[in-house]
Amino acid sequence: MSDYKLLIGGRLVDGDASMDVINPASEEVLAACPRGSERQMNEAVAAAKEAFKSWRKVPMAERRAMVMKLADAVEARVEEFGRLLTQEQGKPLAESTAEIAYTAAFLRYLASLDLENKLIEDNENRRVEMRRKPLGVVGCIIPWNFPVLIVAFKAPVALLAGNTIVIKPAPTTPLTTLRLGELIADIFPAGVVNIVTDQNDLGGVLTTHPDVAKISFTGSTETGKKVMASAASSIKRITLELGGNDAAIVLGDVDPKTVAPGIFGGATMNAGQVCLAIKRVYAHESIYDELCDELAKLADAAVVDDGLKQGAQIGPLQNKMQYEKVKGFLEDARVNGTIIAGGVVEDRPGYFIRPTIVRDVSDGTMIVDEEQFGPILPVIKFSDVDDALERANASPWGLGGSVWSTDRDKAYDIACEVDSGTVWINKHLDFGPNIPFGGAKQSGIGVEFAEEGLYEFTQIQVINEAR
Ligand code: NAD
C-alpha cells in the first residue's frame, strides 16, 4: 500500500486504484501512488461544495492566517520536498528546492492581498457599492513542469477570496503535491482543499461538473481548448495558462558573449520545459555567427545528469511521452537546420537529451513554429528588425518574449510591439507574485498573480440602493 494519500473531505484516503510514479532519471518506479476514481472526484467536489457554505463566511483575516501557516509549513520542508520533487520531476536539486521556496513565497505574498468593497456613488439619489464575492468550488488543474509552484499560483487566491478547491495534479508528478496535502489536512477545515490524482482521465469530470464554478487550468493549448469547450456547458469561469513559443529578438548592438548565458539559461531551465522559456531566437546577421558559437559553447559545457547529482545543470525530460516528442523535434532540426551542439540522446537509462543549438533554420519548420518544450533552441538570422518582429508575432501563441539590445529606448519600442502577455528587456523568465502574468492569443485567457489574479476568483456584485 502506498504511503501517499489523496485528500478528500478533510480525510487522507487511499485511491480506489493505484498507479506507479516513474523517476525520469532512471525510468525506475519511484513510488506507488493512489489513483483517484470518478467516484472519488465527485466525492471531492461534493465535500468542497459542502465546505463552501461555511468557508465563505470565515473572516478573510482567518482565511489569510491559514494560508500563511501553510507557507510556514512548506518553508520548513524545502529540503525534503525539494528532493522528492527532483525524483519525480527530474529537475536539478537547486531548481527543485527553489521551486519549493518560491511556493512558500507565493503562498505568503498572494495571501497578503486584500479584497475591498468599492463605493462607486453615494449621493442624494443613490448609493452604489461594488463587492467581490467568492464563486464556489474551483477546480485547479496542474501540469507536470512546476507541479508544486503552480498549485501556489492558484490555491492561495482561490482560498483567500472564500472559494473551496479541488486540486488535480498531473499523473506523472503527483507525489510532492500529496505531501503538501498532508500539511493542508492539519491546517484547513474539512473539504476546503481536496486533492485527487488521476491518469489523465478525471480532468473532464471536473470541467463538466455542474457544481464546479470555475476552472483554473495550466497546461497545453490543446487541452486548454477542451477545458474551454466543456466549461461552456455551465458557463464556468475559466483561467487558462497555456503554451507558448517565446521569441528572443537579439539586436546587432549586443556583445554575443555577454547575452549568450542569459539566452541559454532562459531556454534550458528545467530542460526547456517551461511555458515561458525562450523557444526561438531571432539574431541580427551582424552577430549571428558569434552568438551561435557562444550558445554552442554553453551547450557543450552543460552538465546533463540525474538532478540529485551534484553539479547537474540539466536533468532528464519529465516523462516518456515528452521525451519521444522532443526526439521528433531533434529529427526535424536535423532535416531543416544545422545542429552545432547536442543533437544526441544520452545512451543511458532516463529521458536525457543534451542541450541542442540549431542554426541555419527558418520559420515554417516544426522546430521554429511549434512549442518544443525541451532543451532545443533554434537560432534564426534576420537583417531587418521589423521583419524579425513580424515573424515573432506570426505565432498563434503570445505568452512571453524578450528583446536584447544595448539601446534601451529602441529595445523598449520593440518590446511594446511584441504580441505577448510579458516582454522582457535584456533578460527572460523573471516573474513574481506581485506581477500580473497571462498569455495573449492562444497562450491563454485571464491572468494570475497580483490583485488582477485574485479578482479572477471572485464574482462582482453591485448593491444599488435607493435614497
Ligand atoms: P497537459 O495539457 O497535457 O496537462 C495539463 C493538465 O491537464 C494535467 O493535469 C492533465 O492531467 C490535465 N488534463 C488532461 N486532459 C484533460 C481534459 N480533457 N480536461 C481537463 N484536464 C485535462 O499539459 P502538460 O503536458 O502537463 O504541460 C505542458 C504544457 O503546459 C505546455 O504546453 C506548457 O507551455 C504549458 N504550461 C503553461 C504554463 C502557463 O502558465 N502558461 C505553465 C506551465 C505549463
Side-chain angles (χ1 to χ4, degrees), residues 236-318:
K236 285 185 191 14
R237 276 60 183 151
I238 48 171
T239 302
L240 303 177
E241 293 293 354
L242 309 177
N245 194 8
D246 287 17
I249 300 175
V250 188
L251 305 193
D253 58 22
V254 302
D255 171 13
K257 231 192 196 73
T258 308
V259 298
I263 294 172
F264 183 73
T268 56
M269 183 192 179
N270 198 12
Q273 303 163 117
V274 184
C275 55
L276 281 166
I278 298 176
K279 295 185 179 129
R280 46 195 175 130
V281 175
Y282 290 90
H284 188 262
E285 57 188 0
S286 61
I287 47 107
Y288 183 78
D289 290 337
E290 208 185 326
L291 182 65
C292 287
D293 291 349
E294 289 300 326
L295 290 170
K297 270 189 225 161
L298 292 164
D300 285 337
V303 180
V304 177
D305 210 339
D306 182 333
L308 285 186
K309 293 253 179 74
Q310 207 167 5
Q313 272 173 273
I314 298 178
L317 276 292
Q318 201 282 314

Side-chain angles (χ1 to χ4, degrees), residues 417-445:
E417 297 303 315
V418 175
D419 292 337
S420 66
T422 300
V423 191
W424 290 282
I425 296 176
N426 293 327
K427 59 182 176 177
H428 206 101
L429 265 180
D430 174 25
F431 64 97
N434 56 334
I435 306 169
F437 162 60
K441 302 192 278 184
Q442 291 189 32
S443 287
I445 289 184

Side-chain angles (χ1 to χ4, degrees), residues 6 19 41 88 140-144 147 151 166-178 194-200:
L6 308 180
M19 60 188 188
M41 184 57 93
E88 69 171 334
C140 303
I141 302 182
I142 312 295
W144 46 254
V151 170
V166 178
I167 299 169
K168 196 205 78 56
T172 54
T173 52
L175 299 178
T176 319
T177 311
L178 295 179
N194 304 270
I195 306 176
V196 180
T197 59
D198 74 339
Q199 272 290 20
N200 267 338

